[in-house]
Amino acid sequence: MVTLMPVKFFVDKVTDDLYILRVDDAEVAYFEALWEIAEGVTYNAYLLVGDDGCILFDSWKARYADQLAETIRRVIDPRDITHIVIHHMEQDHSGALPEILRIADFRPEVLAHPMACQMLGSFYRVNAKVRPVHDEEELNVVGRRLRFIYAPWLHWPETITTYYADHGVLLSGDVFGGFSSPDKIFDDDEEVVEKYLPHVRKYFASVIGTYRQHVNKAVQKMAGLDIRVIAPAHGLVWRKDPRRVVNYYDALANGSQERGKVTIICASMYGECLHAARIVMNELKKRGANVKIYEFTDTSRPSISDLLGDVFNSEAIVVAAPTYESDVFPIARWIIEIVQKKIPSSKSVLVISSYGWGEQAGKKLAEMLRAAGHDIKDLLLFRGRPDSETEEKLREAANKLLSDG
């Protein structure tokens, strides 16, 4: 039985007129029904109280629509909302929108990317007032200066961010976000930040990874802004050191690696590949490597999203998988297909594969990873269980994996 943590709701001031409305979703087990997040995730909406109205930036998941309405009422009358900015139409941020429009008597004007304006009616069948905003467009809304900056493919094509110029706040949507429900709202506590950053990397790998080349473009577009606060749609708000999360994202996008870190991906039906993978693991640990191992067996099915987070900044990867029906073991193929799309190239790779009557799996895995730009240091194939000669070759291959460092 899985024990769920209680869902928590927060309201706090980011500036004297900007509020964060945060829900900690402890009920979700799979982000996007795909990525395992035992650590949970937050949905951050923001409410800007202006001179002659209020602006709501994004919303929450549909299941929390009533709670968002109540949270808004803790700050203002919902009928005072004159504008709603949609940074990204994915339903974890827009799902509560129909309810918010309803309690605001459908008076708010929705500001969004032109594509998102088209999606709104299709997603929710609501007849809302919409106004497309354009890249670098500046508007004075409720007496506040806003600049809208497109951030395409981070991680949908219609993603935008908003720069609230009066206070130097970048409301960044999914950009600069991360998984987990941090103990604090802001980045003021170093211990909280250090605990949070690995969840940012996991989020980046899972959600942003395929489109990582667009991160640098977005960062360059924002380079001239006086950013004093970064307020993303997931995770911590960065007010103590907003540059830290920008640099962290930039480094991930550029394929930054942790020297000496090796992630082992092992799929093993009856223990042969697992035995081989553990020989390599032990040899690497003797050399002082930071080894993470993910074992997919008849009793173990680890988190794919945790795996991606570790693979993302590893210096090297070990892939061990058996042949299955004259092909690659299915779960190993699926994982490596994801790695091909989401993980930066140029990692050192050792491929290990067992077989009974055909050697296809290991060769195909090596081809897949080579085609993605990784450096195949060695390919070890063995029939049945590794004998003493094969075990020695595994140790030699482990030493070769990081020998260039």
Side-chain angles (χ1 to χ4, degrees):
M1 178 182 294
V2 177
T3 302
L4 297 176
M5 299 295 290
V7 176
K8 297 178 182 179
F9 307 92
F10 301 88
V11 178
D12 206 338
K13 278 192 171 185
V14 178
T15 66
D16 59 5
D17 56 358
L18 180 67
Y19 294 80
I20 179 173
L21 315 176
R22 169 177 142 176
V23 56
D24 291 2
D25 188 353
E27 299 175 336
V28 63
Y30 302 95
F31 190 76
E32 299 179 324
L34 181 60
W35 309 115
E36 306 92 337
I37 50 167
E39 65 271 35
V41 68
T42 78
Y43 312 123
N44 305 339
Y46 298 88
L47 188 63
L48 179 58
V49 180
D51 298 335
D52 53 356
C54 301
I55 307 169
L56 178 67
F57 296 90
D58 299 315
S59 73
W60 295 347
K61 218 174 184 178
R63 74 169 63 176
Y64 301 120
D66 291 341
Q67 292 93 333
L68 177 59
E70 288 304 311
T71 304
I72 290 171
R73 289 189 181 101
R74 291 167 60 182
V75 183
I76 60 162
D77 184 330
R79 290 172 295 182
D80 292 336
I81 298 174
T82 55
H83 298 80
I84 299 175
V85 175
I86 300 175
H87 289 123
H88 170 41
M89 268 299 297
E90 192 167 10
Q91 292 92 325
D92 54 335
H93 306 299
S94 67
L97 192 59
E99 175 62 13
I100 303 307
L101 287 168
R102 186 190 69 78
I103 64 173
D105 298 329
F106 284 88
R107 290 188 292 188
E109 182 178 49
V110 177
L111 307 177
H113 189 285
M115 190 180 298
C117 291
Q118 296 171 0
M119 290 177 177
L120 181 60
S122 301
F123 278 33
Y124 299 115
R125 306 301 171 189
V126 293
N127 186 20
K129 295 182 290 185
V130 298
R131 184 194 189 287
V133 295
H134 303 288
D135 194 18
E136 303 290 352
E137 182 175 1
E138 297 185 14
L139 294 176
N140 190 302
V141 185
V142 300
R144 302 296 186 268
R145 293 179 297 140
L146 305 179
R147 182 192 296 184
F148 301 98
I149 304 167
Y150 285 10
W153 296 112
L154 298 178
H155 60 118
W156 282 16
E158 38 58 88
T159 301
I160 66 170
T161 63
T162 303
Y163 178 61
Y164 174 27
D166 301 274
H167 284 282
V169 180
L170 179 69
L171 297 124
S172 61
D174 272 349
V175 188
F176 307 129
F179 288 140
S180 83
S181 299
D183 295 335
K184 305 290 185 181
I185 290 175
F186 302 100
D187 66 327
D188 303 335
D189 188 316
E190 179 63 22
E191 185 177 343
V192 170
V193 172
E194 286 294 326
K195 182 179 177 181
Y196 173 63
L197 285 176
H199 298 298
V200 175
R201 187 179 69 243
K202 174 179 170 179
Y203 172 88
F204 189 102
S206 303
V207 177
I208 304 291
T210 301
Y211 305 110
R212 59 191 177 274
Q213 69 272 21
H214 294 276
V215 170
N216 301 123
K217 298 174 185 177
V219 169
Q220 289 170 9
K221 288 178 73 172
M222 300 168 188
L225 301 177
D226 176 23
I227 298 175
R228 285 164 266 163
V229 179
I230 291 179
H234 297 294
L236 285 177
V237 174
W238 299 82
R239 68 180 182 185
K240 178 182 178 183
D241 187 7
R243 191 71 212 174
R244 184 169 182 176
V245 73
V246 174
N247 291 341
Y248 194 73
Y249 257 64
D250 212 25
L252 290 171
N254 291 326
S256 176
Q257 298 177 355
E258 179 185 322
R259 188 175 179 84
K261 181 177 179 181
V262 183
T263 297
I264 299 175
I265 305 166
C266 176
S268 189
M269 295 169 63
Y270 297 107
E272 289 82 3
C273 282
L274 182 58
H275 176 68
R278 287 179 176 175
I279 289 172
V280 172
M281 176 186 71
N282 291 332
E283 195 65 27
L284 288 167
K285 285 184 174 181
K286 287 179 184 176
R287 295 197 59 205
N290 175 17
V291 183
K292 307 291 184 179
I293 186 165
Y294 290 84
E295 300 174 356
F296 297 83
T297 70
D298 58 352
T299 60
S300 175
R301 189 56 50 94
S303 163
I304 301 291
S305 48
D306 285 344
L307 180 156
L308 290 175
D310 274 323
V311 170
F312 204 90
N313 72 332
S314 288
E315 181 182 350
I317 312 170
V318 177
V319 180
T323 299
Y324 186 84
E325 295 180 346
S326 300
D327 206 336
V328 177
F329 191 62
I331 195 166
R333 176 182 286 280
W334 180 56
I335 292 168
I336 297 308
E337 285 175 348
I338 296 172
V339 167
Q340 282 181 300
K341 291 181 180 180
K342 293 183 176 289
I343 303 301
S345 59
S346 301
K347 296 188 185 296
S348 298
V349 178
L350 166 61
V351 177
I352 304 164
S353 184
S354 64
Y355 64 93
W357 60 90
E359 301 178 352
Q360 292 88 343
K363 295 176 181 178
K364 288 182 179 180
L365 285 168
E367 289 169 6
M368 292 170 70
L369 289 160
R370 187 178 290 112
H374 300 291
D375 181 11
I376 308 301
K377 293 291 188 180
D378 216 334
L379 168 61
L380 288 179
L381 309 174
F382 59 90
R383 174 173 281 169
R385 189 171 180 83
D387 57 19
S388 58
E389 182 180 348
T390 302
E391 290 180 350
E392 185 56 34
K393 288 180 178 179
L394 289 165
R395 295 185 185 95
E396 291 173 359
N399 283 296
K400 188 191 302 182
L401 192 60
L402 297 176
S403 62
D404 293 341

